[in-house]
Amino acid sequence: MAARTSQQSGNFTASATWGGTPADGDTFTISAGHVVTSSTVDMPTNGYGDITIHGCWSLQSGSQFKLNGRATVHGGESNVFTEGESDSAGLLEMKDNSELVIKG
């Protein structure tokens, strides 16, 4: 298990996004200003660990993602989650036919 922090915007499964390849059980922090996109079926055996979102995590249409932990979404300066278009405050976006499986 590794604790990964986004290095840039990109696809969730791309090693360039995290500076390494995501693996079963890893935890993730999406940095403010970064948009991380999940666009495939990503269902590791045990699921990924906690995800902390300061930027934007976007589950695209038809994607599936298995999480065995918590998803914490941080808002702007008030630290209260407010859905909106900005990727500088936390945003969890789920497109039509996407699926988030939370095991933990």
Side-chain angles (χ1 to χ4, degrees):
M1 286 191 322
R4 303 201 179 274
T5 299
S6 64
Q7 305 297 306
Q8 62 184 35
S9 294
N11 195 285
F12 185 88
T13 58
S15 64
T17 303
W18 306 107
T21 304
D24 196 7
D26 285 355
T27 62
F28 300 91
T29 298
I30 299 173
S31 300
H34 292 170
V35 178
V36 175
T37 303
S38 295
S39 56
T40 59
V41 174
D42 201 0
M43 304 286 276
T45 302
N46 297 307
Y48 294 112
D50 295 347
I51 293 180
T52 302
I53 305 165
H54 294 279
C56 176
W57 181 26
S58 179
L59 278 73
Q60 299 297 296
S61 181
S63 65
Q64 296 178 344
F65 191 92
K66 186 175 186 181
L67 178 64
N68 186 13
R70 295 172 293 189
T72 303
V73 183
H74 290 272
E77 292 177 14
S78 65
N79 204 28
V80 175
F81 173 70
T82 304
E83 185 172 346
E85 296 298 317
S86 173
D87 59 8
S88 61
L91 175 64
L92 171 59
E93 175 182 58
M94 294 183 71
K95 304 283 184 162
D96 292 343
N97 300 314
S98 62
E99 179 180 357
L100 173 60
V101 176
I102 301 176
K103 180 181 174 189

